Amino acid sequence: MRRIGVAAAVAMFVGGCNKGGGTPAATPAATPAAKPAFEAIVAHSGGIAKGLDYTNSREGLDSAYANGIRWFELDLATTTDDKVVLVNNWGDGFEKIFPGQTRGRRTHADFLALKMADGLTQMDLDRLVEWLAAHPDAMVVTDVKDDNVKVLKHLAEKHKPMVERFVPQMFHFEEYDPIKPVGFPKLILSLYAMEASDEEVLAFVKTHPVLAVTMPTERAKASDLAKKLGEAGIPVYAHTVNEKAELDELIASGVDGVYTDKLIPKDLASAN
């Protein structure tokens, strides 16, 4: 696999933007706009919305999209009746974006009936798929907060025509084999919940093809894992990065892209 540098990633992004969103497809199965193999800027939890992070809201998606972002990392969790909604967690994060509510999982109907902070709009899986159909050049990187394999299988079964629009993150080596046959063309190995050594990560990606490896900024700075992955042709993301100076530092350390609440593609143009 050829390593994708920042300049190339930005060039691919610009080419994709020039295509435009176009008229929403009649069905999610309609031919989407051409998508790059790798996007350097990913909107963390859908991007910041009205000054709030971790909202996974429609307004966050719309704002990030308007700023040129086309890949969106989103948090998926299940309700008490086993439906998939977009929420970072059912604890502090839930109370932050739903003022006056106490922590704890809700039913699907109750979740959609809640009033979100600052008039934002909460999303479930069906609303997300509708949004993707209206934005055919957008992609979603999943961050499943419950049973990762179960939720991804549910997503693929219920919205099979849309699986190519989702890039699942794996949080354990053991998740690769059950997720890969489900039909998602691209997978990302995320390291934040793992205790694997650099050597174990490098050995794994040699035998298990992935689109990229994602790691916390601390790990990207503290070791040469990013550079070694680059030498193996594996792009590297770091998260969460919101300052241009830190972006520049990470690019210098071998990172190719970042998950961010507020940076936009033009911030990468001068970071090469």
Side-chain angles (χ1 to χ4, degrees):
M1 183 187 299
R2 180 176 60 86
R3 180 178 176 83
I4 302 175
V6 172
V10 173
M12 286 190 294
F13 161 79
V14 173
C17 285
N18 288 339
K19 297 179 183 299
T23 302
T27 66
T31 302
K35 297 178 291 295
F38 173 86
E39 192 81 5
I41 291 285
V42 179
H44 177 242
S45 293
I48 204 160
K50 296 186 178 180
L52 295 174
D53 53 12
Y54 291 96
T55 69
N56 294 279
S57 65
R58 178 177 293 154
E59 290 77 10
L61 293 172
D62 289 342
S63 177
Y65 189 91
N67 281 320
I69 294 177
R70 294 297 180 265
W71 281 35
F72 304 83
E73 186 260 6
L74 294 169
D75 303 310
L76 308 181
T78 54
T79 60
T80 56
D81 48 348
D82 217 27
K83 304 295 184 180
V84 179
V85 297
L86 276 61
V87 64
N88 181 260
N89 64 73
W90 294 105
D92 292 345
F94 177 77
E95 292 177 338
K96 175 183 175 181
I97 62 174
F98 293 104
Q101 298 295 321
T102 56
R103 64 186 58 206
R105 295 170 73 202
R106 301 294 199 274
T107 66
H108 179 246
D110 287 346
F111 176 82
L112 292 182
L114 294 172
K115 290 185 177 180
M116 206 173 189
D118 292 334
L120 298 176
T121 306
Q122 61 265 52
M123 303 282 281
D124 64 359
L125 184 57
D126 290 339
R127 288 180 178 181
L128 174 60
V129 168
E130 290 175 1
W131 189 89
L132 286 170
H135 300 80
D137 54 349
M139 296 282 286
V140 169
V141 176
T142 66
D143 187 351
V144 178
K145 301 302 182 178
D146 301 323
D147 186 326
N148 196 22
V149 174
K150 179 181 177 181
V151 169
L152 291 172
K153 285 183 176 180
H154 169 79
L155 190 163
E157 290 170 0
K158 186 174 182 181
H159 298 288
K160 187 174 181 180
M162 298 293 281
V163 294
E164 292 188 357
R165 308 287 298 282
F166 288 85
V167 182
Q169 290 187 104
M170 304 171 296
F171 305 102
H172 305 283
F173 293 148
E174 296 78 13
E175 292 179 339
Y176 188 94
D177 287 340
I179 292 175
K180 186 63 176 177
V182 173
F184 297 99
K186 306 178 182 70
L187 299 176
I188 290 176
L189 178 64
S190 182
L191 305 182
Y192 81 80
M194 299 177 62
E195 296 183 356
S197 67
D198 291 1
E199 290 72 22
E200 289 172 325
V201 172
L202 290 165
F204 182 83
V205 297
K206 284 182 179 179
T207 56
H208 299 78
V210 296
L211 171 70
V213 173
T214 296
M215 65 185 71
T217 56
E218 296 81 6
R219 184 162 188 177
K221 296 174 185 178
S223 76
D224 58 357
L225 178 58
K227 288 186 176 180
K228 289 182 177 179
L229 285 166
E231 291 169 359
I234 308 295
V236 174
Y237 284 114
H239 64 85
T240 303
V241 181
N242 289 320
E243 300 300 330
K244 180 66 165 56
E246 185 174 31
L247 172 64
D248 293 344
E249 178 185 359
L250 288 163
I251 295 300
S253 71
V255 168
D256 298 279
V258 296
Y259 296 3
T260 178
D261 297 310
K262 61 183 183 180
L263 296 176
I264 58 177
K266 71 177 184 180
D267 292 317
L268 262 177
S270 61
N272 194 10

